[in-house]
Amino acid sequence: PVTAPTTSSPILNPTELPNIIELGTEAGDFGTLLAALDAADLTDTLESDGPFTVFAPDDIAFASLPTGVVDCLLEPQNLDTLKAVLLLHVVEGQILAGSLSDGMLLPTLNGEETRVDIDVDGNVFINSVSQVVSADNLASNGVVHVINNVLLPVGFDAGAFLTTCGAGNICPSVPSSGCSICGPGFCVGNPDAVFSFPGQPSVPCGTLEEAGIDGTIDLGECGF
């Protein structure tokens, strides 16, 4: 039979089974996923009768995405992309770990197929990149398998995607050097962009230009 390692804090299965959304809420490790489902108007879907099989990335999985991607997905103009990402994790029917086989293709609700890979130790991977770390978490309307990486649609380019939203206008900086960067260049030519650094006040790039931080410092001196 197919097996998968469990996390140190697996989702518990109470006698009276919760639905998939309730299961994630009770676990406490799926805040980002639940917020994303709500933003994409998919919460009601996963509260419905189903049944569904959900490969659920936990908060750590979402945090491992490139900086800014989650915030960008949640912006109104990108909700179609967000929905496509989320539905890539959902399959119709209740598929338990013991029914998975190496090379199996699962049709997801976003129209793409995901591939099941099982190594010689019985570890289960989805699309070769995301390992099932807690399997067969039963819900009243299906089953949840927890995975350690977010699945992304074919052709998804994080760098190109970030240019579609405000996340691309946040300027990382090195305060000790006085350098700040917006996208590929210095904090210049885009007065609406924002200078932001942990522990520092956020100010418009235009304000920094007036203060003399106008891109005259060589990039090599910035410590990047």
Side-chain angles (χ1 to χ4, degrees):
V2 176
T3 59
T6 57
T7 58
S8 57
S9 56
I11 302 174
L12 299 178
N13 297 315
T15 304
E16 205 168 307
L17 293 174
N19 64 44
I20 288 168
I21 296 297
E22 292 169 338
L23 194 63
T25 302
E26 291 174 8
D29 299 322
F30 299 91
T32 304
L33 176 60
L34 293 171
L37 288 168
D38 191 52
D41 293 325
L42 292 174
T43 297
D44 288 347
T45 299
L46 294 183
E47 287 179 329
S48 67
D49 291 341
F52 303 103
T53 296
V54 177
F55 294 94
D58 59 15
D59 290 337
I60 294 174
F62 274 101
S64 70
L65 288 172
T67 302
V69 166
V70 172
D71 289 338
C72 195
L73 283 168
L74 293 171
E75 292 199 4
Q77 72 272 22
N78 290 324
L79 291 185
D80 285 345
T81 303
L82 174 63
K83 185 173 288 190
V85 169
L86 294 173
L87 291 179
L88 187 60
H89 297 77
V90 184
V91 179
E92 286 189 358
Q94 186 185 67
I95 305 172
L96 301 181
S99 298
L100 299 175
S101 59
D102 189 41
M104 185 177 186
L105 296 176
L106 301 174
T108 71
L109 295 192
N110 90 336
E112 294 183 22
E113 292 181 325
T114 56
R115 177 187 170 93
V116 177
D117 295 296
I118 303 174
D119 68 16
V120 294
D121 296 317
N123 296 310
V124 179
F125 295 83
I126 305 300
N127 286 353
S128 301
V129 297
S130 190
Q131 184 176 357
V132 174
V133 293
S134 178
D136 290 348
N137 300 286
L138 299 178
S140 62
N141 59 342
V143 63
V144 174
H145 305 298
V146 182
I147 56 177
N148 64 358
N149 280 295
V150 177
L151 304 175
L152 296 171
V154 173
F156 183 88
D157 183 329
F161 177 66
L162 285 171
T163 65
T164 68
C165 63
N169 287 333
I170 300 300
C171 306
S173 71
V174 180
S176 61
S177 70
C179 302
S180 62
I181 297 176
C182 280
F186 286 101
C187 215
V188 60
N190 187 2
D192 294 326
V194 175
F195 170 87
S196 179
F197 192 85
Q200 301 291 322
S202 296
V203 295
C205 287
T207 301
L208 295 175
E209 290 170 9
E210 292 174 6
I213 304 177
D214 57 5
T216 58
I217 303 174
D218 185 83
L219 181 63
E221 298 175 16
C222 289
F224 291 95

